[in-house]
Amino acid sequence: PIYFITAIGAFVPPYGLLPGLTFDFIVSLSIIFCFAFARIFSPKNVVIASIYTVFVVSIAAYLGGTAAMMILSIRLNDEYLVSMIGNGAWILELTITGALIMAAFRSHLEIERELVQLVGADAASKNKELLSAQIANRELAQYLHGHVQNQLLASALRLEQAENSNNEMEMRKELEAVDKLLEEAPKGIRSGSSGSLTHELRSIERLWTGLLEVQIEVDETCEKLDLGPNMIHDFTQAVNESITNALRHGFASRVAVSVRAKSGNIELVCSDNGTGPRSGGAGLGSALYSSLAGTRWSLEPAIGGGSVLTVKVKV
């Protein structure tokens, strides 16, 4: 059906409406006929299978074109030969595209079928539910460790400042902010971002104002990328996590963050003037970076002290 619809524009203009549709219909029948018989032989070798596919497509295009010429009394000429070659190339392209889609769909069904055969239908269903629960729990842990904890840490520091200066109004304001944060936390782990990447990162700068010297530089080309709300949310979490780690674990007083679009990635580079990386087991921050960037992230000591975090996220 896809070939028949897409080939109408190639056959109708040169031959007319009815002859063009007839030509298209005959070639489509030729494809069905040749592909049905082609299944008799199923090569296992990739090279042989590739050659066989090109051969079958060529035969389908030749038989269909020849049959249509005979029925419609079309004479063979150079222009028609070029058209037949182009038609064969189009059939081959549709064949490969369709094969990729079918392979992906069948692979999913085969994996599910094998899982059911190995552990049974009930156990397979429970495994799916368990996996979904693990993913949800991981997102909940990262949400609490990232967004909620960072907000609480900033509020705690402001409360300490307000207490030292005996500013009751500021203390009351921060306590209300904490109450609101705890009230809204159970409403949703991932609500997406409310604005652009630059807007979200500027919000992070404002969060640490007066507590930590934070400077975030965002490349303008980042806004030209097609970033969905979830990607912006996750990347913002990574930036906030890097700043929090520099303060909590490195005791930094100054953090510089650079966000750039580079070679198909968004690259986050966070440098601080703290004590540098510490030894120990990986935490939720490391899990967050690994979930976003895989192995494309690193935390290294900075020259002269402090640390440099680099995270590359594919877009």
Side-chain angles (χ1 to χ4, degrees):
I2 296 175
Y3 171 82
F4 181 82
I5 294 172
T6 56
I8 290 176
F11 294 132
V12 171
Y15 304 120
L17 180 60
L18 185 58
L21 291 176
T22 303
F23 201 124
D24 192 5
F25 182 72
I26 293 172
V27 177
S28 299
L29 287 179
S30 174
I31 295 172
I32 295 174
F33 177 81
C34 291
F35 278 32
F37 276 91
R39 294 187 179 185
I40 297 175
F41 175 58
S42 180
K44 304 300 181 183
N45 183 275
V46 175
V47 176
I48 297 176
S50 301
I51 297 174
Y52 183 59
T53 301
V54 175
F55 174 75
V56 172
V57 169
S58 300
I59 293 298
Y62 173 78
L63 290 181
T66 303
M69 286 175 55
M70 294 175 60
I71 294 174
L72 298 175
S73 301
I74 300 174
R75 292 183 178 182
L76 180 63
N77 53 40
D78 294 341
E79 183 178 349
Y80 176 74
L81 288 175
V82 173
S83 176
M84 184 179 292
I85 294 173
N87 187 44
W90 179 236
I91 297 174
L92 180 62
E93 184 175 348
L94 289 179
T95 301
I96 294 174
T97 304
L100 291 173
I101 296 173
M102 292 180 65
F105 181 71
R106 287 175 177 172
S107 296
H108 174 77
L109 293 180
E110 288 175 2
I111 291 172
E112 187 173 358
R113 192 182 305 113
E114 290 178 3
L115 181 62
V116 171
Q117 290 176 353
L118 288 172
V119 301
D122 293 339
S125 178
K126 290 180 180 178
N127 284 341
K128 289 175 64 177
E129 293 177 0
L130 179 61
L131 179 61
S132 299
Q134 288 176 342
I135 294 174
N137 289 340
R138 186 190 67 185
E139 290 189 349
L140 174 59
Q142 290 180 348
Y143 173 73
L144 295 175
H145 177 76
H147 177 75
V148 176
Q149 181 178 261
N150 294 340
Q151 296 278 354
L152 289 175
L153 176 60
S155 293
L157 293 175
R158 287 198 174 88
L159 282 170
E160 185 177 352
Q161 288 181 348
E163 184 180 9
N164 292 336
S165 61
N166 200 24
N167 189 337
E168 294 185 3
M169 182 176 297
E170 186 66 23
M171 292 176 62
R172 189 178 297 109
K173 177 182 176 182
E174 286 301 324
L175 289 174
E176 290 176 356
V178 170
D179 288 339
K180 182 179 180 181
L181 174 65
L182 297 177
E183 180 182 352
E184 293 179 352
K187 293 182 180 179
I189 298 174
R190 179 187 295 259
S191 58
S193 63
S194 58
S196 66
L197 178 61
T198 302
H199 178 269
E200 296 295 322
L201 295 181
R202 293 290 173 254
S203 298
I204 293 178
E205 274 189 332
R206 291 192 294 270
L207 173 66
W208 296 104
T209 299
L211 304 174
L212 180 66
E213 184 181 341
V214 176
Q215 181 179 4
I216 301 179
E217 180 185 351
V218 186
D219 188 356
E220 293 181 356
T221 56
C222 291
E223 294 301 337
K224 298 179 182 179
L225 300 175
D226 186 17
L227 301 177
N230 288 340
M231 171 63 78
I232 294 176
H233 172 274
D234 291 342
F235 195 81
T236 303
Q237 289 287 87
V239 173
N240 212 1
E241 179 69 16
S242 68
I243 298 172
T244 304
N245 287 343
L247 175 62
R248 292 179 63 237
H249 303 300
F251 306 103
S253 60
R254 184 174 66 255
V255 179
V257 177
S258 172
V259 178
R260 299 184 181 279
K262 189 176 181 181
S263 302
N265 298 299
I266 294 185
E267 184 179 76
L268 159 66
V269 178
C270 178
S271 58
D272 63 70
N273 64 344
T275 58
R278 294 186 175 187
S279 60
L284 286 172
S286 298
L288 172 62
Y289 299 143
S290 295
S291 66
L292 283 174
T295 59
R296 299 180 304 278
W297 74 275
S298 63
L299 179 62
E300 304 290 342
I303 299 175
S307 60
V308 177
L309 170 72
T310 303
V311 182
K312 296 181 180 180
V313 181
K314 282 189 175 182
V315 293

Coordinates of all heavy atoms in Angstrom, one line a residue, residues 155-181:
S155 N 17.1 26.6 52.0 CA 16.3 27.2 53.0 C 17.0 27.1 54.4 O 16.9 28.1 55.2 CB 14.9 26.5 53.1 OG 14.2 26.8 51.9
A156 N 17.6 26.0 54.7 CA 18.3 25.8 55.9 C 19.4 26.9 56.1 O 19.6 27.4 57.2 CB 18.9 24.4 56.0
L157 N 20.2 27.1 55.1 CA 21.2 28.1 55.1 C 20.7 29.5 55.3 O 21.2 30.3 56.1 CB 22.1 28.1 53.8 CG 22.9 26.8 53.6 CD1 23.6 26.8 52.3 CD2 23.9 26.6 54.7
R158 N 19.5 29.8 54.7 CA 18.9 31.1 54.9 C 18.3 31.3 56.3 O 18.4 32.3 56.9 CB 17.8 31.3 53.8 CG 18.4 31.6 52.4 CD 17.3 32.2 51.5 NE 17.9 32.6 50.3 CZ 18.0 31.8 49.2 NH1 17.5 30.6 49.3 NH2 18.5 32.2 48.1
L159 N 17.8 30.2 56.8 CA 17.3 30.2 58.2 C 18.4 30.5 59.2 O 18.3 31.2 60.1 CB 16.6 28.9 58.5 CG 15.2 28.7 58.0 CD1 14.7 27.3 58.2 CD2 14.2 29.7 58.6
E160 N 19.6 29.9 58.9 CA 20.7 30.1 59.8 C 21.2 31.5 59.7 O 21.5 32.1 60.8 CB 21.9 29.1 59.3 CG 23.1 29.2 60.3 CD 24.2 28.2 59.9 OE1 23.9 27.4 59.0 OE2 25.3 28.3 60.4
Q161 N 21.2 32.1 58.5 CA 21.6 33.5 58.4 C 20.6 34.4 59.1 O 20.9 35.4 59.8 CB 21.6 33.9 56.9 CG 22.8 33.3 56.2 CD 22.8 33.7 54.7 OE1 21.9 34.3 54.2 NE2 24.0 33.5 54.0
A162 N 19.3 34.1 58.9 CA 18.2 34.9 59.5 C 18.3 34.8 61.1 O 18.1 35.8 61.8 CB 16.8 34.5 59.0
E163 N 18.6 33.6 61.6 CA 18.7 33.4 63.0 C 19.9 34.2 63.6 O 19.8 34.9 64.6 CB 18.9 32.0 63.3 CG 18.9 31.7 64.8 CD 19.1 30.2 65.1 OE1 19.4 29.4 64.2 OE2 19.0 29.8 66.3
N164 N 21.0 34.2 62.9 CA 22.2 34.9 63.3 C 22.0 36.4 63.3 O 22.6 37.2 64.2 CB 23.4 34.6 62.4 CG 23.9 33.1 62.6 OD1 23.6 32.5 63.6 ND2 24.5 32.6 61.5
S165 N 21.2 36.9 62.4 CA 20.9 38.3 62.3 C 19.6 38.7 63.1 O 19.2 39.9 63.0 CB 20.8 38.8 60.9 OG 19.7 38.1 60.2
N166 N 19.0 37.7 63.7 CA 17.8 37.9 64.5 C 16.6 38.5 63.6 O 15.9 39.4 64.0 CB 18.0 38.8 65.7 CG 16.9 38.6 66.7 OD1 16.2 37.6 66.8 ND2 16.8 39.6 67.6
N167 N 16.5 38.0 62.4 CA 15.5 38.5 61.4 C 14.4 37.6 61.4 O 14.3 36.6 60.7 CB 16.2 38.6 60.0 CG 15.2 39.3 59.0 OD1 14.0 39.4 59.2 ND2 15.8 39.9 58.0
E168 N 13.4 37.8 62.3 CA 12.2 36.9 62.4 C 11.4 36.9 61.2 O 10.8 35.9 60.8 CB 11.4 37.4 63.6 CG 12.0 37.2 65.0 CD 11.1 37.5 66.1 OE1 9.9 37.8 65.8 OE2 11.6 37.5 67.3
M169 N 11.3 38.0 60.5 CA 10.4 38.1 59.2 C 11.0 37.1 58.2 O 10.3 36.4 57.5 CB 10.4 39.5 58.7 CG 9.5 39.7 57.5 SD 9.3 41.4 56.9 CE 8.5 42.1 58.4
E170 N 12.4 37.2 58.0 CA 13.0 36.3 57.0 C 12.9 34.8 57.4 O 12.7 34.0 56.6 CB 14.5 36.7 56.9 CG 15.2 35.9 55.8 CD 14.7 36.3 54.4 OE1 14.1 37.4 54.2 OE2 14.9 35.5 53.5
M171 N 13.0 34.5 58.8 CA 12.8 33.2 59.2 C 11.4 32.7 58.9 O 11.2 31.5 58.5 CB 13.1 33.1 60.7 CG 14.6 33.3 61.1 SD 14.8 33.4 62.9 CE 14.3 31.7 63.3
R172 N 10.4 33.5 59.2 CA 9.0 33.1 58.9 C 8.8 32.9 57.4 O 8.1 31.9 57.0 CB 8.1 34.2 59.4 CG 6.6 33.8 59.4 CD 5.7 34.9 59.9 NE 6.0 35.1 61.3 CZ 6.6 36.3 61.8 NH1 6.9 37.2 60.9 NH2 6.8 36.4 63.0
K173 N 9.4 33.7 56.6 CA 9.3 33.6 55.1 C 9.9 32.2 54.7 O 9.3 31.5 53.9 CB 10.0 34.7 54.4 CG 10.0 34.7 52.9 CD 10.8 35.8 52.3 CE 10.8 35.7 50.8 NZ 11.6 36.9 50.2
E174 N 11.1 31.9 55.2 CA 11.7 30.6 54.8 C 10.9 29.4 55.3 O 10.8 28.4 54.6 CB 13.2 30.6 55.3 CG 14.1 31.5 54.5 CD 14.2 31.1 53.1 OE1 14.1 29.9 52.7 OE2 14.3 32.1 52.2
L175 N 10.4 29.5 56.5 CA 9.6 28.4 57.0 C 8.3 28.2 56.2 O 7.9 27.0 56.0 CB 9.2 28.6 58.5 CG 10.4 28.5 59.5 CD1 9.9 29.0 60.9 CD2 10.9 27.1 59.5
E176 N 7.7 29.2 55.7 CA 6.6 29.1 54.9 C 7.0 28.5 53.5 O 6.2 27.7 53.0 CB 6.0 30.5 54.6 CG 5.3 31.1 55.8 CD 4.8 32.5 55.6 OE1 5.0 33.0 54.5 OE2 4.1 33.1 56.5
A177 N 8.2 28.8 53.0 CA 8.6 28.2 51.8 C 8.9 26.7 52.0 O 8.6 25.9 51.1 CB 9.9 28.9 51.3
V178 N 9.4 26.4 53.1 CA 9.6 24.9 53.4 C 8.3 24.2 53.5 O 8.1 23.1 52.9 CB 10.4 24.8 54.7 CG1 10.5 23.3 55.1 CG2 11.8 25.3 54.5
D179 N 7.3 24.8 54.2 CA 6.0 24.1 54.2 C 5.4 24.0 52.9 O 4.8 22.9 52.6 CB 5.1 25.0 55.1 CG 5.4 24.9 56.6 OD1 6.1 24.0 57.0 OD2 5.1 25.9 57.3
K180 N 5.5 25.0 52.0 CA 5.0 24.9 50.7 C 5.7 23.8 49.9 O 5.1 23.0 49.1 CB 5.1 26.2 50.0 CG 4.5 26.3 48.6 CD 4.6 27.6 47.9 CE 4.0 27.7 46.5 NZ 4.2 29.0 45.9
L181 N 7.0 23.7 50.0 CA 7.8 22.7 49.3 C 7.4 21.3 49.7 O 7.1 20.4 48.8 CB 9.3 22.9 49.6 CG 10.2 21.8 49.0 CD1 10.2 21.8 47.5 CD2 11.6 22.1 49.5

